[in-house]
Amino acid sequence: MKGQTNLPRLAIASLGGTVSMEVSDGGSGVKPKLGCEEQLAKVPLLREMAHLEVATLGLLPSASLGFAALLDVLAWAQREVERGAQAVILTQGTDSLEETACFLDLLWPVEAPLIMTGAMRAASQPGNDGPANLLAAVHVALAQGSRGRGVLVVMNDQIHCAAKVRKTASLALAAFESPGSGPVGEVVEGVAVYRQPPDRRQVLPPPHRTDHRVALLEACLDADTGLLQAVASLGYEGLVIAGFGAGHVSSCWAEEMDALVPAMPVIVATRTGSGPTALASYGFAGGEIDLQRRGVHMAGQLCPRKCRILLWLMIGAGKQHQLHSWLPR
Ligand code: ASP
């Protein structure tokens, strides 16, 4: 074992989630309970791998995290890098992990990796995966090849990039995938092995306002236009639609775009779960050619939820007019 002072320095914080959850006395079901120190105590080896700066930043189920809290987490993480951390690790709930990772990735301006992980089985459950995920996250955090890749999600010994990762199973241990491209790498016998080169990254400036809201609606069979018509009057400043197939809506939803597009940016993504939206294939009313003609942006590779994060951050930074170049084909 190396002397503590020679060890690389990592900052690690927890926000809550199943990885922190245990059965509470007298209550039913598991709830967030373990702070970051207590999570780390389950893997004593970590203290031999790195000097750890530890913080408990929250004890929330991840559906209750929000943009304001994430901006605080970002500020903490950046401070830790400035103070010499080689990488930062966050543990949190898996339910919103694909969104929080995307949010932080769009704002993470440095080469140092920001690694996110969690667990599918609570700390008090047999076979809980939190400790193994934490160990894998530390291996990835310490790997030279992780630098310059922005935010990475490490679950089940797979390494996913923030822009593509999705939770695709509600309870299974192998709950995360990167549809279409697969994980960028994996952890093999404690070594982070990358199978894909780093993507070219673009980073946004932090938002200078946070009071705005972006709506997300899903197109579905025989849906009326009531909610769509209400979006502008309710004060939303942007709209994302999880569209059918390659990014389509019904003809009556398409007609509503003529009123919406002058009022706010509208993005149509695909609700299918994988694949890009089309640009030049379908010519019917509500198809992507018609939607673009009406001024709608097609999401490209980004899933609806990540589009909403992107649009919120772009509006916050006053850069919504550059949206097109942020929606890769
Ligand atoms: N089931 C969730 C988890 O995996 C709960 C949450 O997202 O906090 O952590």
Side-chain angles (χ1 to χ4, degrees):
M1 179 178 141
K2 285 190 251 167
Q4 177 84 348
T5 48
N6 296 330
L7 292 175
R9 190 174 148 161
L10 296 181
I12 174 159
S14 61
L15 304 177
T18 297
V19 66
S20 73
M21 293 193 197
E22 285 190 339
V23 191
S24 48
D25 308 330
S28 56
V30 294
K31 293 191 181 139
K33 220 169 160 188
L34 306 182
C36 200
E37 287 284 5
E38 291 160 297
Q39 290 175 40
L40 294 174
K42 309 231 175 228
V43 200
L45 174 64
L46 300 182
R47 299 270 182 197
E48 297 176 25
M49 297 168 69
H51 172 77
L52 303 174
E53 293 294 331
V54 183
T56 299
L57 300 180
L59 265 182
L60 288 172
S62 71
S64 297
L65 292 170
F67 295 158
L70 288 179
L71 290 171
D72 290 344
V73 171
L74 179 77
W76 170 84
Q78 282 186 260
R79 260 193 324 271
E80 289 299 325
V81 171
E82 279 155 23
R83 290 170 54 193
Q86 174 174 325
V88 178
I89 299 174
L90 295 173
T91 71
Q92 68 149 84
T94 56
D95 288 354
S96 67
L97 184 50
E98 64 195 82
E99 286 167 87
T100 55
C102 172
F103 184 99
L104 294 172
D105 186 56
L106 286 166
L107 298 172
W108 187 242
V110 292
E111 287 275 298
L114 174 49
I115 312 297
M116 302 182 72
T117 191
M120 291 302 294
R121 289 189 187 145
S124 54
Q125 250 181 305
N128 63 83
D129 51 330
N133 286 338
L134 209 46
L135 178 59
V138 170
H139 283 304
V140 174
L142 293 174
Q144 190 58 27
S146 304
R147 295 187 69 76
R149 289 179 182 264
V151 175
L152 297 166
V153 171
V154 177
M155 289 290 295
N156 202 28
D157 278 344
Q158 293 185 323
I159 311 169
H160 298 271
C161 80
K164 304 210 177 103
V165 68
R166 298 189 72 170
K167 186 174 186 180
T168 55
S170 56
L171 288 167
L173 215 48
F176 284 81
E177 287 178 79
S178 295
S181 59
V184 290
E186 55 197 316
V187 180
V188 184
E189 298 179 315
V191 177
V193 179
Y194 283 95
R195 310 282 183 207
Q196 294 173 28
D199 280 340
R200 198 179 63 82
R201 300 187 65 228
Q202 297 191 89
V203 177
L204 283 166
H208 49 71
R209 54 179 292 231
T210 55
D211 59 340
H212 56 295
R213 291 175 300 136
V214 174
L216 169 56
L217 294 178
E218 181 161 308
C220 46
L221 195 63
D222 205 22
D224 66 82
T225 55
L227 286 174
L228 211 49
Q229 283 164 358
V231 167
S233 60
L234 287 173
Y236 289 95
E237 294 181 42
L239 170 66
V240 177
I241 296 174
F244 293 100
H248 302 154
V249 299
S250 63
S251 54
C252 59
W253 274 40
E255 277 167 32
E256 293 300 328
M257 297 304 132
D258 295 342
L260 272 165
V261 166
M264 68 183 75
V266 179
I267 306 177
V268 173
T270 173
R271 66 177 202 174
T272 60
S274 78
T277 48
L279 285 178
S281 297
Y282 290 94
F284 56 80
E288 79 282 356
I289 294 173
D290 174 47
L291 289 173
Q292 288 171 94
R293 192 181 50 74
R294 296 176 193 266
V296 167
H297 299 271
M298 301 308 295
Q301 295 281 349
L302 276 195
C303 79
R305 294 185 279 268
K306 293 184 201 280
C307 283
R308 175 174 165 272
I309 301 281
L310 173 69
L311 187 48
W312 188 85
L313 286 171
M314 292 204 79
I315 294 172
K319 294 198 175 284
Q320 57 273 39
H321 53 281
Q322 294 173 12
L323 197 49
H324 186 70
S325 59
W326 287 76
L327 297 169
R329 208 163 173 194

